[in-house]
Amino acid sequence: MIPGGTLPVDSAAPRAFDDPIYVTRPLLPDLQAYVEELQGIWDRRWLTNKGQVHDAFEQALCAYLRISHLSLVSSGTTALMLALRACELSGEVITTALTSPATVNAIRWCGLTPVFADVDPVFLTLDPTAVERAVTPQTAAILGVHVYGMPCDVEALQAIADRHGLRLIYDGAHAFGTAIGGVPVLEFGDATTLSFHATKLFSTAEGGAVAVRDAELKRRIDLLKNLGIQDEATVVLPGINGRMNELTAALGLAGLKLVEAERGRREAIANVYREGLRGIEGLECLDIPPLVRNSQQYFVVRLQAGVHSRDDLWEQLKTFNVFARRYFHPLCSNMLFYRKLPSANPANLLVASRATQEVLCLPLYGNLPLQDATRICEIVRHILRA
Ligand code: T4K
């Protein structure tokens, strides 16, 4: 179809869904299982500040994610701010523009200057060559994003960080359970942040965590998220309140038992999409490299500009009650408050600028029936006349 064109009314059109199909739906434990977790909290009357459920959830997550240290926090954004603060940085942080505003805003909130580097044309994560080019004497850290659960080129980024003496932090908001060759992606870099927002594969409504390899860094993050309070008489750091409360932790503990099955159901839906969309000219599904275990956070298609209009497909899907999302559009570098940065120049971000016009996340959540995924493929084919 012609980019920007409209489709005439067609009697052979697939039927619209009766109820809205959203890009995602949260995974919720059985209400009774949650109530059971809550009973102990009511009995103990202990609601926050490193309670018993908080500590149990922290341990359960470390075991599930196969890592040694993790600090629970109140959101993925707080996790980013705490990770950056704990690394005691000043100056510039190299990052991607193809991400949630949370990533870049966290850099700003820490008084640091974001420097945008372009992304890889296939995987859409930071391009190490572009990162290397962006390093200056002011560079303090690299903040890579495992966007759509696709791992960054962790070896190349670590080599750059080592060569220039930089800290390496990852935003793993989409990468819960992502692994490379069997190694959890959280094992790479100095720290990786997670988000447990309602729209994430694993959710506690709001919440997040910072995974670290170094016990001392965890100790600093634990202090920073608790206003820097060491004990009743001693405040050792200018911290914030980034704590996770007991009710939230209880939701996490109950939900953690379900996440593996949820990921499996999402993988099956992703396979239906791949099959159902195969062979459409100008439409590509984001490829997952053979050694990568993807989190199944999003199912991303790319609509080749000049062949199809992504925005037209996005709009037309709504008329069928399908609410796909253009994550991430606009690019962070196009936002008013970052636009003036020299690195925000579109000429510096050619690949990301193209990707932001082409990507579309189709509905992906465990409760989406496989036949609905098949129907979405038929609707996409109908709209694209493929
Ligand atoms: N880093 C990255 C790379 C991120 O993507 C994010 C967050 C962060 C860091 C920061 O993490 P947090 O501080 O948020 O923990 C959503 C989320 O608000 C945001 O968490 C997420 N990324 C971003 C990609 O998406 P919206 O504005 O698209 O969400 P919203 O409310 O439109 O929800 C999308 C769909 O999900 C709805 O149409 C229906 C469904 N939904 C949503 C909610 C909230 C539900 O079914 N139930 C719900 O409770 O931002």
Side-chain angles (χ1 to χ4, degrees), residues 112-327:
L112 300 158
T113 306
V115 173
F116 296 111
D118 211 351
V119 295
D120 178 273
V122 177
F123 304 120
L124 301 180
T125 51
L126 271 181
D127 175 356
T129 320
V131 170
E132 181 86 64
R133 269 200 310 269
V135 175
T136 72
Q138 282 71 49
T139 309
I142 302 166
L143 175 46
V145 180
H146 302 307
V147 69
Y148 316 125
M150 192 69 80
C152 293
D153 187 340
V154 289
E155 279 177 16
L157 291 180
Q158 189 64 61
I160 296 169
D162 291 345
R163 208 159 35 246
H164 298 279
L166 310 175
R167 301 306 288 259
L168 178 55
I169 299 169
Y170 289 111
D171 179 339
H174 301 177
F176 189 92
T178 289
I180 311 168
V183 180
V185 79
L186 308 178
E187 284 289 331
F188 299 95
D190 295 297
T192 304
T193 62
L194 294 169
S195 162
F196 306 149
H197 180 261
T199 55
K200 297 298 182 285
L201 167 76
F202 173 69
S203 151
T204 59
E206 295 281 3
V210 189
V212 292
R213 285 188 290 168
D214 172 22
E216 172 55 22
L217 199 53
K218 169 168 162 62
R219 197 188 66 81
R220 282 183 67 77
I221 292 167
D222 284 347
L223 279 169
L224 282 170
K225 76 176 180 191
N226 190 32
L227 307 170
I229 297 172
Q230 186 166 285
D231 57 48
E232 256 181 73
T234 332
V235 180
V236 289
L237 288 168
I240 55 170
N241 175 2
R243 298 177 294 248
M244 179 180 283
N245 69 64
E246 290 287 273
L247 285 77
T248 302
L251 189 55
L253 214 43
L256 192 57
K257 298 178 185 118
L258 311 175
V259 71
E260 199 58 31
E262 168 72 10
R263 191 196 158 277
R265 282 192 295 272
R266 287 176 177 225
E267 196 164 39
I269 295 163
N271 289 338
V272 168
Y273 279 139
R274 278 182 204 285
E275 198 50 46
L277 300 172
R278 194 187 298 278
I280 301 182
E281 201 206 330
L283 181 150
E284 274 177 28
C285 303
L286 199 66
D287 250 344
I288 298 166
L291 276 182
V292 169
R293 179 191 196 262
N294 187 276
S295 57
Q296 303 297 340
Q297 169 63 48
Y298 290 116
F299 187 84
V300 186
V301 292
R302 289 183 73 169
L303 282 300
Q304 199 186 323
V307 181
H308 301 292
S309 158
R310 184 275 314 271
D311 285 353
D312 193 53
L313 175 62
W314 170 65
E315 287 289 3
Q316 300 252 11
L317 280 170
K318 291 184 204 168
T319 67
F320 290 89
N321 235 349
V322 176
F323 295 88
R325 293 297 287 264
R326 301 177 300 173
Y327 296 132

Side-chain angles (χ1 to χ4, degrees), residues 325-338:
R325 293 297 287 264
R326 301 177 300 173
Y327 296 132
F328 286 100
H329 178 89
L331 285 182
C332 291
S333 50
N334 281 340
M335 291 168 190
L336 258 184
F337 32 94
Y338 298 125

